[in-house]
Amino acid sequence: AGDLHAVLDLAKVADSLLFILDPVDGWDSAGEYCLSCLFAQGLPSYALAVPGGADLPPKKRIDARKKLAKAIEKRFPEAKLFPLNTEQESSLLLRHLATQKQRHLAFRDRRAHLLAYAAEFVPSQETDLVGTLKLSGFVRGQTLDVNSLVHIVGHGDFQMSQVDAPPDPLSLNPRVVKAQKRSQDMEVQDDSVNGTDEMEEDVKVLMKADPNKQESLQSEVVPDPMEGEQTWPTEEELQEAEASLKANRRVVKVPKGTSKYQAAWIVDEEEGNQEDDDDEDDDINDDMMEEAVSQEGESSEEEEEPAEEECETMTVSECLRDDQYDEKVEEDEQMLERYKQERMDEMFPDEVDTPRDVPARVRFQKYRGLKSFRTSPWDPKENLPRDYARIFQFQDFSRTRKHLFRQIEKEETEGASVGWYVTLHVCSVPVSVMESFKEGKPLVLFSLLPHEQKMSVLNFLVRRHPSNSEPVKAKEELVFHCGFRRFRASPLFSQHTSADKHKLERFLRPDAALVVTVYAPITFPPASVLLFKQRSNVIATGSLLSVDPDRIVIKRLVLSGHPFKIFTKTAVVRYMFFNREDVMWFKPVELRTKWGRRGHIKEPLGTHGHMKCHFDGQLKS
């Protein structure tokens, strides 16, 4: 109780959830908040039970029952309430849980997953801080292959070394122990009556990892800073290159307009195998934060990498003594400043004051004038940040995804089948994983699909959660629950439109759906997403939109000036710039007035930034 992240992690793998309700009120505000998070993540099968209420007089009991039915109608239409006062009623509930139709959550049906019933940590020879973690549990979802990678929720991606089959602790016929071998399933009759002997004797190794087939843990491309440098090739190198070109030439259908420059792609051949040709140069990219001027703009740097996923939650007591009370004042000041900024951004979107101490042509040198935000061209490959050399990009993401999902449906993979009780040997796991398991937190494990350990740029479509109204600024570090993953990242916000360029939003808007963009490990949709602030409630919920480093997010700036004198279609404007050189520098960029007149700068007047402008119609004074 009180640890929402643990509740959400459990709900990721639970087959059924049992909601225990209060006989009078149903649930309180904390329950409502927890429910809204569960609904946003994806709700498995559930049942509603009401213990108690037998001490009320019969008339009141009926009234309470009606009131409760009304309360749950909104959240759970057509749900049946199970009273829990006698043993008979309890067995009815159990039968319902066993026979009810299972609701499918797409993100877990396509991946093998298990909840650890038991765990044992074996430190490595070099250090006690990392070692092999032996996790035991029932395989669900899909067949688990020992060569695939596994993700421990909240702790990261790991490789497995082997899979064992210990005796099933909950087997239906305990005397017959199934030994599942790779080649054949044979039943072994066991004569030992003593369960512990059975445990010791019957741990069978199902399979060991094959280093040649094992997925690598490499999540980033290691860029070569010298790549692209020119040195003169020798004769032999030229001949070698000729020969290898002849050998390697192949014809591939690519989308129209694809340049050779789009290099480090994850190529997906027609029906063939997946290969990773992903370690070329910084052509893997996202114009996440680019810049645009509409008499405008500021470039902002790419977002930082999300720190690797170590999420812990702490409960801090709120009852502070009087002398400590003022320690929070600083936080209040920052919050007030944020509220002001958010308000200004709402009232004057994208408008900034021209700085007095720096020339505008220097301050805004990364920006360019865009005649039309919608139709002016912008190359997604230009001016990429350094980090783009380290991430992966798909040649055609949706095709790769379809191909993978088709493979999962059709092909029989070798491995531990659904329903088997197995022990996984997970390599190089930090000891903190075992410590959190000992504290009673759930240990949830998912197998990864191909490429899902690699970093790329993920776009989520989210809406503000109604319970939260505090301002959330772009690039603030947030905690993400995405599908089966939990990680921290500093996101960018942008508008959700069908255009090829998307305007950056400086704050998470309360009224519209926004796209949140982060560097994160690749995840194949569908996947739900929840965003949390570090120490507070959920701030937004939504779903994974795409994995696309080429989605252009443009930061727009508006510089404004005031008409000083007006002569029909011409005006003298001041306060937009404060020196003559700036006026000359921004001369090519189009002007527009609040009432839609368009115009251009004709010439500067004097040395203090006054300028003569000509417009396409009569100006209203």
Side-chain angles (χ1 to χ4, degrees):
D3 185 351
L4 184 70
H5 290 302
V7 171
L8 289 175
D9 288 350
L10 268 175
K12 287 178 171 79
V13 287
D15 291 319
S16 296
L17 293 179
L18 175 59
F19 294 109
I20 306 287
L21 308 183
D22 181 82
V24 183
D25 304 325
W27 55 80
D28 56 5
S29 58
E32 178 62 36
Y33 171 60
C34 185
L35 276 179
S36 67
C37 291
L38 286 170
F39 271 86
Q41 179 176 274
L43 197 64
S45 313
Y46 61 87
L48 306 173
V50 190
D55 47 352
L56 293 170
K59 190 167 188 318
K60 276 195 177 166
R61 202 180 308 165
I62 294 166
D63 288 351
R65 183 47 98 51
K66 277 183 185 165
K67 188 180 160 199
L68 189 58
K70 207 167 190 180
I72 66 167
E73 180 83 36
K74 197 169 150 211
R75 271 276 183 219
F76 305 99
E78 297 162 28
K80 188 174 177 224
L81 269 177
F82 288 88
L84 284 185
N85 296 318
T86 64
E87 201 161 306
Q88 196 179 359
E89 289 172 339
S90 309
S91 60
L92 270 177
L93 171 65
L94 282 176
R95 184 175 303 134
H96 172 74
L97 282 171
T99 56
Q100 72 178 350
K101 186 170 184 282
Q102 292 294 318
R103 294 173 69 163
H104 292 288
L105 295 181
F107 75 85
R108 70 179 190 196
D109 283 353
R110 293 197 172 96
R111 298 170 180 87
H113 54 272
L114 61 83
L115 175 67
Y117 279 81
E120 181 193 346
F121 183 76
V122 183
S124 65
Q125 284 143 0
E126 297 86 43
T127 168
D128 291 346
L129 297 177
V130 294
T132 301
L133 187 64
K134 296 180 183 175
L135 292 178
S136 303
F138 293 93
V139 180
R140 333 278 310 179
Q142 294 285 338
T143 304
L144 180 68
D145 180 15
V146 70
N147 294 316
S148 64
L149 298 178
V150 291
H151 176 81
I152 298 177
V153 176
H155 298 283
D157 304 336
F158 304 97
Q159 288 179 326
M160 293 183 284
S161 57
Q162 71 180 55
V163 177
D164 301 341
D168 187 335
L170 308 172
S171 77
L172 298 172
N173 39 359
R175 294 299 307 281
V176 177
V177 180
K178 284 195 171 62
Q180 292 113 350
K181 289 239 173 76
R182 258 185 142 165
S183 47
Q184 74 277 26
D185 278 10
M186 51 185 195
E187 294 209 347
V188 179
Q189 193 70 35
D190 199 293
D191 295 330
S192 67
V193 184
N194 188 339
T196 53
D197 292 1
E198 229 175 87
M199 290 296 276
E200 282 158 22
E201 282 170 32
D202 288 319
V203 175
K204 298 199 168 43
V205 178
L206 282 184
M207 48 204 148
K208 286 194 184 270
D210 176 355
N212 302 323
K213 291 183 186 170
Q214 208 165 18
E215 285 265 352
S216 106
L217 274 171
Q218 185 196 0
S219 64
E220 294 178 21
V221 183
V222 181
D224 178 1
M226 300 306 288
E227 181 121 27
E229 292 289 322
Q230 282 288 278
T231 50
W232 203 251
T234 62
E235 278 298 311
E236 293 93 63
E237 283 177 329
L238 284 171
Q239 283 161 3
E240 245 174 63
E242 275 296 300
S244 72
L245 263 180
K246 280 176 189 161
N248 289 339
R249 215 162 261 163
R250 63 193 180 102
V251 180
V252 191
K253 279 186 190 165
V254 294
K256 201 173 172 184
T258 306
S259 63
K260 286 182 184 167
Y261 169 61
Q262 288 158 305
W265 301 65
I266 297 175
V267 177
D268 178 26
E269 290 171 14
E270 278 321 311
E271 280 304 318
N273 54 356
Q274 298 276 353
E275 346 167 19
D276 311 343
D277 319 24
D278 337 55
D279 0 287
E280 292 195 18
D281 193 25
D282 15 348
D283 324 332
I284 340 178
N285 69 44
D286 171 354
D287 268 314
M288 223 146 247
M289 278 244 159
E290 284 290 64
E291 311 84 60
V293 187
S294 126
Q295 250 337 25
E296 4 219 279
E298 152 71 314
S299 113
S300 92
E301 321 66 23
E302 277 287 327
E303 344 106 293
E304 305 82 71
E305 287 292 331
E308 262 315 297
E309 4 198 311
E310 255 310 278
C311 288
E312 293 180 354
T313 47
M314 293 171 71
T315 328
V316 184
S317 88
E318 285 299 315
C319 46
L320 295 170
R321 293 202 313 279
D322 237 17
D323 52 345
Q324 298 173 324
Y325 188 81
D326 281 348
E327 287 176 13
K328 288 198 157 184
V329 167
E330 207 173 300
E331 247 175 66
D332 283 357
E333 291 287 324
Q334 289 170 353
M335 189 58 86
L336 176 66
E337 188 54 41
R338 271 207 210 122
Y339 273 116
K340 277 184 184 166
Q341 287 174 355
E342 185 181 41
R343 183 99 185 279
M344 287 301 285
D345 189 52
E346 234 168 81
M347 288 160 62
F348 306 105
D350 306 321
E351 287 196 28
V352 293
D353 295 330
T354 310
R356 304 293 296 268
D357 49 347
V358 189
R361 60 187 184 281
V362 176
R363 172 69 181 82
F364 304 131
Q365 63 190 351
K366 291 184 178 176
Y367 288 72
R368 67 184 73 175
L370 274 195
K371 191 175 172 81
S372 157
F373 195 89
R374 197 173 51 84
T375 57
S376 298
W378 195 302
D379 181 5
K381 301 293 181 195
E382 71 182 283
N383 244 341
L384 296 177
R386 262 284 162 76
D387 287 337
Y388 259 52
R390 295 161 51 195
I391 62 172
F392 292 87
Q393 175 174 12
F394 290 91
Q395 187 168 357
D396 183 342
F397 178 72
S398 55
R399 204 173 93 215
T400 307
R401 175 174 165 269
K402 275 181 195 159
H403 178 62
L404 271 177
F405 287 176
R406 219 175 290 135
Q407 259 181 329
I408 293 170
E409 281 164 27
K410 285 181 186 169
E411 290 182 16
E412 285 291 311
T413 44
E414 279 195 338
S417 299
V418 177
W420 288 7
Y421 183 74
V422 294
T423 301
L424 311 179
H425 294 242
V426 186
C427 314
S428 312
V429 178
V431 70
S432 59
V433 180
M434 190 64 199
E435 284 162 5
S436 85
F437 182 67
K438 282 181 180 155
E439 286 165 17
K441 291 190 180 143
L443 203 51
V444 172
L445 182 131
F446 274 85
S447 71
L448 297 182
L449 300 176
H451 310 306
E452 284 197 322
Q453 77 280 23
K454 296 171 182 153
M455 295 297 278
S456 189
V457 174
L458 270 61
N459 301 303
F460 306 108
L461 183 59
V462 304
R463 272 189 182 278
R464 274 308 282 262
H465 193 267
S467 69
N468 194 296
S469 60
E470 57 186 78
V472 182
K473 208 173 175 182
K475 294 193 190 171
E476 211 176 301
E477 192 177 63
L478 302 175
V479 177
F480 285 74
H481 275 256
C482 168
F484 57 90
R485 272 200 170 91
R486 184 166 86 238
F487 56 86
R488 293 176 186 197
S490 305
L492 299 179
F493 307 132
S494 59
Q495 291 178 351
H496 178 49
T497 61
S498 57
D500 61 342
K501 294 182 286 299
H502 310 272
K503 189 171 84 69
L504 177 100
E505 291 287 358
R506 289 168 173 78
F507 288 90
L508 193 58
R509 297 241 170 265
D511 47 356
L514 285 185
V515 175
V516 174
T517 305
V518 290
Y519 287 129
I522 290 166
T523 303
F524 288 100
S528 55
V529 62
L530 287 88
L531 277 65
F532 291 84
K533 265 198 172 170
Q534 291 294 359
R535 286 186 191 79
S536 82
N537 293 352
V538 64
I539 53 172
T541 60
S543 60
L544 176 57
L545 180 67
S546 65
V547 177
D548 180 17
D550 273 348
R551 186 177 188 276
I552 303 174
V553 176
I554 293 182
K555 189 169 186 181
R556 174 169 167 258
L557 283 193
V558 178
L559 303 179
S560 48
H562 296 254
F564 171 46
K565 293 177 183 162
I566 293 177
F567 318 96
T568 7
K569 292 188 177 184
T570 310
V572 176
V573 177
R574 61 180 174 179
Y575 304 147
M576 187 180 281
F577 303 111
F578 299 100
N579 61 57
R580 193 180 177 92
E581 291 78 19
D582 280 351
V583 178
M584 297 302 288
W585 174 265
F586 284 100
K587 207 172 164 182
V589 182
E590 190 179 49
L591 304 173
R592 66 168 182 272
T593 70
K594 290 272 182 195
W595 302 106
R597 298 268 72 86
R598 289 174 173 268
H600 60 271
I601 300 170
K602 251 174 119 170
E603 59 186 358
L605 300 174
T607 57
H608 284 74
H610 288 208
M611 56 194 188
K612 190 187 274 185
C613 306
H614 186 76
F615 291 91
D616 61 0
Q618 163 105 38
L619 291 183
K620 307 265 191 298
S621 55

